[in-house]
């Protein structure tokens, strides 16, 4: 073989070797691309699970443990405008200063993260705070994961406020994340671990609606085994228990058009677990490079919540019926009392009138004992008439039959008249009666008779419960906070009497309630005076309040509009 032929043969061998290396390189490149495609698919699948989870999910990175990602459930839970706003907070920045055990939130949160990094996962109870300042109770599951060459902490947060209120501390379930391997399929395994941390049953379907994977909670809740599930058409699961018309509608009609669907309610009677009401959240994900789609289906059992809501609604309706019946009975009672009071007043007025005639001697002279007895009859009759008038007034008010007539009148003159009427009572008990009317108090528009009735009741009540000292009436003009910039009239009646205990203040304005009860009661009355005052003041468009100290006296204040608004 010549030198020339040898060179040619060596060249051909070199070409063949180069072609072989190129083929090997192309095969390696193809395998790398396929691996990258699978990795991207796994990442897309994880992202879909992350986004569609019912629970708030987020990730944190060392060394300062800032948030790096948050799903939509997190933004909704913490009332964040967007992910950027949420990520601007530190983990302990979304908590109150102290936790229920009294520990500082920052110190405790760092301890929880350290425990997670040391042990792999950590489940604990926590109090969070939303962006609007509202605090709420939560279960938190932290898991240490290694992903893409980084060490991360994955957090799953569940708002348990409603559960605590309804179930009163139902025992919290604890779940742990499985550790993931460092490999090309790390993202896929990471996604699988996320599936198993979600408390609601979660199922992954392929484009033919066959089961690709399901969460552990799915097996536990629906009482099925993996061999009865994987690769099966969803409608065939559990001896065709999942062949539900509304589920078919969601998966075959709605989801292909909308790609996502939230809170789709389905009710079904399962052979293994009985009748259940479920909320379905579905998300359709297209895989990379035109590969088949997958469907993520999250299932929330709301059976017990529905039963509670239905029970509450039934109770509300029954309460409304009972309230209507009580109001009807109250109106009937008030109408009856009004009628009876009216019937009683007619003969009683006659008794008082004829007794007066006898005392005047118009029917002949009376001896001293007869005069004494007749005066007792007249006094008792007038006392009984006053009581009947109180019953009639409160009955008319409660029955909605009390008429209010607004007209201008001279308030200082009305005050003078009422003070003059109660002066004999103060002289009898040797009390000082002081009336102070501000210079700018003159004419107001209201019901003159009812205003005088309120003044008479309050003054009489103050005198009755005061054994020594004084009773003071003050009238002044004050700003009307309810109808700015108008002014209002405020009248105060203060005494140095017995006073009222703090625990008895809420009984004052209730009809037929007296703070003194039993056979040892020292003061007479029906307990209607203050109740009538309150209702009359409110009918006149005003308010009434009381301040009192036991053993030192009381002050009643009521405020009326000087010129009330006309009602259309």
């Amino acid at each position: 073989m010549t030198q020339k032929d040898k060179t040619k043969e060596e060249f051909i061998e070199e070409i063949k070797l180069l072609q072989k290396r190129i083929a090997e390189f192309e095969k390696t490149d193809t395998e790398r691309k396929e691996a990258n495609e699978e990795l991207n698919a796994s990442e897309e699948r994880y992202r879909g699970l992350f986004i569609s989870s019912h629970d708030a999910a987020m990730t944190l990175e060392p060394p300062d443990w800032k948030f790096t990602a948050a799903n939509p459930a997190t933004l909704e839970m913490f009332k964040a405008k967007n992910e950027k706003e949420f990520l601007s907070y530190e983990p302990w920045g979304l908590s109150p200063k102290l936790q229920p055990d009294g520990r500082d939130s920052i110190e405790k949160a760092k301890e929880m993260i350290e425990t997670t990094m040391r042990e792999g996962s950590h489940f604990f109870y926590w109090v969070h705070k939303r962006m609007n300042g509202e605090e709420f109770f939560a279960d938190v599951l932290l898991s240490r994961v290694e992903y893409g060459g980084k060490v991360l902490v994955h957090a799953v947060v569940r708002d348990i406020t409603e559960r605590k209120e309804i179930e009163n501390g139902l025992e919290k379930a604890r779940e742990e994340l499985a550790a993931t391997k460092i490999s090309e399929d790390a993202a896929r395994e990471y996604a699988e671990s996320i599936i198993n941390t979600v408390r609601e049953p979660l199922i992954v379907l392929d484009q033919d609606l066959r089961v690709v994977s399901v969460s552990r909670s799915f097996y536990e809740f629906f009482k099925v085994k993996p061999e009865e599930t994987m690769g099966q058409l969803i409608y065939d699961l559990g001896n065709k228990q999942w062949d539900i018309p509304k589920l078919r509608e969601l998966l075959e009609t709605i989801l292909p058009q909308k790609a996502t669907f939230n809170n789709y309610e389905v009710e079904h009677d399962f052979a293994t677990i009985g009748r259940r009401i479920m909320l379905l959240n579905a998300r359709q994900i297209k895989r990379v490079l035109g590969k088949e789609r997958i469907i993520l289906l999250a299932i929330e059992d709301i059976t017990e919540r529905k039963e509670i809501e239905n029970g509450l609604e039934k109770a509300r309706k029954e309460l409304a019926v009972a309230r209507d019946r009580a109001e009807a009975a109250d109106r009937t009672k008030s109408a009856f009392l009004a009628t009876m009071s009216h019937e009683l007043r007619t003969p009683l007025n006659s008794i008082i009138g004829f007794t007066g005639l006898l005392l005047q001697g118009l029917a002949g002279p009376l001896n001293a004992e007869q005069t004494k007895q007749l005066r007792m009859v007249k006094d008792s009759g007038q006392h009984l008439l006053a009581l009947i008038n109180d019953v009639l007034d409160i009955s008319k008010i409660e029955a909605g039959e009390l008429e209010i007539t607004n007209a201008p009148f001279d308030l200082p003159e009305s005050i003078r008249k009422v003070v003059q009427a109660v002066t004999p009572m103060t002289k009898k008990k040797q009390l000082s009666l002081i009336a102070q009317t501000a210079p700018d108090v003159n004419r107001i528009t209201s019901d003159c008779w009812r205003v005088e009735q309120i003044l008479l009741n309050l003054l009489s009540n103050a005198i009755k419960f005061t054994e020594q000292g004084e009773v003071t009436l003050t009238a002044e003009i004050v700003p009307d906070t309810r109808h700015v910039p108008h002014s209002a009239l405020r009248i105060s009646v203060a005494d140095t009497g017995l006073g009222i205990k703090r625990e008895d203040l809420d009984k004052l304005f209730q009809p037929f309630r007296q703070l003194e009860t039993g056979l040892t009661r020292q003061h007479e009355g029906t307990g209607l005076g203050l109740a009538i005052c309150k209702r009359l003041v409110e009918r006149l468009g005003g308010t009434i309040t009381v301040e009192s100290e036991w053993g030192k006296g009381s002050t009643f204040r009521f405020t009326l509009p000087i010129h009330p608004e006309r009602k259309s």
Side-chain angles (χ1 to χ4, degrees):
M1 180 183 296
T2 64
Q3 183 66 32
K4 181 177 180 181
D5 291 336
K6 184 178 180 181
T7 302
K8 178 180 179 182
E9 185 176 306
E10 288 175 350
F11 177 73
I12 291 173
E13 287 299 322
E14 289 176 359
I15 291 296
K16 287 181 179 180
L17 181 60
L18 180 61
Q19 288 175 338
K20 182 179 179 181
R21 289 178 177 176
I22 290 174
E24 290 175 351
F25 176 79
E26 288 176 346
K27 180 180 179 182
T28 302
D29 187 57
T30 301
E31 290 175 349
R32 186 179 68 252
K33 286 180 179 180
E34 289 176 352
N36 286 336
E37 289 172 4
E38 180 60 28
L39 181 61
N40 291 336
S42 297
E43 290 176 347
E44 179 66 18
R45 186 178 175 194
Y46 157 67
R47 187 63 184 171
L49 290 169
F50 186 78
I51 293 173
S52 64
S53 172
H54 285 291
D55 290 325
M58 57 217 78
T59 57
L60 305 88
E61 287 190 9
D64 53 3
W65 300 113
K66 295 278 189 180
F67 288 120
T68 57
N71 69 348
T74 300
L75 306 184
E76 181 180 356
M77 177 180 291
F78 287 92
K79 306 298 183 187
K81 296 177 183 176
N82 49 48
E83 189 178 24
K84 181 179 179 182
E85 181 185 22
F86 179 82
L87 297 182
S88 66
Y89 281 79
E90 295 178 315
W92 37 84
L94 296 171
S95 306
K97 180 174 177 55
L98 300 177
Q99 288 298 306
D101 60 1
R103 294 189 58 189
D104 184 82
S105 290
I106 298 177
E107 173 190 330
K108 189 171 182 179
K110 291 180 178 179
E111 181 183 311
M112 298 299 101
I113 294 174
E114 289 174 1
T115 301
T116 303
M117 293 300 293
R118 183 175 64 253
E119 299 181 3
S121 66
H122 191 43
F123 180 87
F124 54 92
Y125 169 81
W126 195 261
V127 176
H128 280 293
K129 185 169 66 175
R130 308 187 207 278
M131 301 292 181
N132 59 11
E134 176 190 357
E135 295 182 5
F136 66 96
F137 301 101
D139 281 344
V140 179
L141 177 62
L142 299 182
S143 300
R144 185 193 70 221
V145 294
E146 296 182 9
Y147 175 61
K150 293 182 179 180
V151 177
L152 306 174
V153 167
H154 179 79
V156 177
V157 178
R158 165 165 285 197
D159 186 340
I160 62 169
T161 304
E162 182 179 355
R163 190 188 74 193
K164 284 179 68 67
E165 293 173 351
I166 296 175
E167 302 174 4
N168 192 23
L170 183 67
E171 182 181 2
K172 302 178 186 71
R174 300 177 181 270
E175 297 181 37
E176 297 181 354
L177 281 174
T180 58
K181 299 177 181 178
I182 303 176
S183 61
E184 288 184 350
D185 61 348
R188 176 180 58 78
E189 292 184 6
Y190 187 34
E192 293 295 337
S193 68
I194 297 300
I195 290 178
N196 287 321
T197 64
V198 177
R199 293 170 186 247
E200 289 84 6
L202 211 162
I203 186 167
V204 182
L205 306 174
D206 63 18
Q207 62 183 358
D208 298 321
L209 303 181
R210 292 187 177 275
V211 178
V212 176
S213 63
V214 297
S215 65
R216 183 177 66 242
S217 57
F218 182 92
Y219 292 125
E220 294 172 351
F221 185 81
F222 291 105
K223 303 187 185 309
V224 293
K225 300 177 181 178
E227 57 268 24
E228 301 170 342
T229 307
M230 300 302 294
Q232 296 293 318
L233 186 67
I234 187 171
Y235 307 130
D236 293 338
L237 295 181
N239 196 21
K240 299 189 182 298
Q241 289 188 71
W242 283 82
D243 193 0
I244 306 170
K246 290 200 73 174
L247 180 61
R248 282 185 177 272
E249 180 184 13
L250 172 64
L251 296 177
E252 298 176 11
T253 304
I254 299 176
L255 195 58
Q257 297 176 3
K258 299 184 87 173
T260 62
F261 203 92
N262 297 321
N263 299 328
Y264 188 77
E265 188 172 314
V266 173
E267 183 175 350
H268 189 63
D269 193 357
F270 293 90
T272 53
I273 59 174
R275 175 184 164 276
R276 292 289 166 179
I277 303 174
M278 303 171 290
L279 282 184
L280 305 182
N281 281 12
R283 181 180 181 84
Q284 179 178 252
I285 298 176
K286 264 194 172 180
R287 305 183 75 179
V288 295
L289 300 177
K291 290 187 178 181
E292 74 229 24
R293 60 179 179 142
I294 60 171
I295 296 172
L296 305 177
L297 185 62
I299 305 164
E300 180 183 3
D301 179 25
I302 61 169
T303 308
E304 293 181 4
R305 191 177 81 193
K306 279 286 187 179
E307 290 173 352
I308 293 171
E309 290 173 354
N310 292 337
L312 290 175
E313 181 62 26
K314 182 180 179 182
R316 278 194 291 266
K317 289 179 180 178
E318 291 175 353
L319 182 62
V321 171
R323 185 184 63 246
D324 292 342
R325 288 176 179 172
E327 290 176 353
D330 194 53
R331 287 193 297 269
T332 302
K333 176 211 69 175
S334 298
F336 171 76
L337 288 175
T339 302
M340 289 302 298
S341 299
H342 179 74
E343 294 298 323
L344 287 172
R345 281 204 306 177
T346 301
L348 194 55
N349 279 324
S350 298
I351 292 172
I352 296 171
F354 286 123
T355 304
L357 293 176
L358 291 174
L359 287 171
Q360 293 175 28
L362 297 179
L366 302 172
N367 60 37
E369 184 60 27
Q370 290 172 332
T371 300
K372 177 183 176 182
Q373 296 294 336
L374 284 174
R375 280 178 179 163
M376 291 174 62
V377 171
K378 185 178 180 182
D379 289 345
S380 297
Q382 288 176 333
H383 179 65
L384 181 57
L385 182 60
L387 298 182
I388 291 173
N389 284 336
D390 283 349
V391 172
L392 183 60
D393 281 342
I394 198 72
S395 299
K396 282 185 175 180
I397 293 171
E398 292 183 348
E401 298 176 357
L402 186 73
E403 295 184 0
I404 296 296
T405 303
N406 288 324
F409 69 95
D410 189 340
L411 180 63
E413 175 60 23
S414 291
I415 293 174
R416 185 195 64 76
K417 184 166 59 173
V418 173
V419 169
Q420 186 177 9
V422 300
T423 296
M425 297 171 59
T426 58
K427 288 183 177 180
K428 185 177 180 180
K429 299 183 75 171
Q430 297 182 341
L431 301 174
S432 296
L433 178 58
I434 304 170
Q436 300 174 334
T437 305
D440 54 349
V441 175
N442 40 62
R443 295 177 68 81
I444 69 168
T445 300
S446 192
D447 190 317
C448 177
W449 180 35
R450 297 301 179 185
V451 172
E452 291 177 1
Q453 183 180 0
I454 296 168
L455 291 173
L456 184 60
N457 274 344
L458 291 179
L459 284 172
S460 299
N461 199 64
I463 294 168
K464 180 167 67 172
F465 290 98
T466 303
E467 298 303 324
Q468 60 182 1
E470 63 187 27
V471 175
T472 304
L473 184 150
T474 305
E476 57 188 332
I477 302 298
V478 295
D480 187 352
T481 56
R482 295 189 303 167
H483 302 97
V484 176
H486 301 297
S487 298
L489 167 71
R490 183 169 70 192
I491 296 180
S492 305
V493 175
D495 63 64
T496 57
L498 185 62
I500 305 163
K501 296 178 181 178
R502 183 182 299 274
E503 62 268 24
D504 290 331
L505 286 174
D506 60 345
K507 305 175 186 175
L508 279 181
F509 297 109
Q510 298 179 21
F512 302 105
R513 293 295 297 271
Q514 291 184 312
L515 305 188
E516 287 183 303
T517 58
L519 298 176
T520 59
R521 187 159 58 91
Q522 298 178 358
H523 302 93
E524 298 178 342
T526 59
L528 290 174
L530 292 177
I532 291 173
C533 286
K534 183 176 186 298
R535 284 157 175 77
L536 287 178
V537 167
E538 291 173 349
R539 286 295 306 275
L540 295 174
T543 57
I544 186 169
T545 59
V546 60
E547 295 177 2
S548 184
E549 186 175 351
W550 177 245
K552 293 187 178 181
S554 306
T555 300
F556 287 83
R557 292 188 181 89
F558 70 94
T559 304
L560 296 177
I562 297 177
H563 300 291
E565 299 177 356
R566 291 184 178 180
K567 296 183 178 179
S568 55

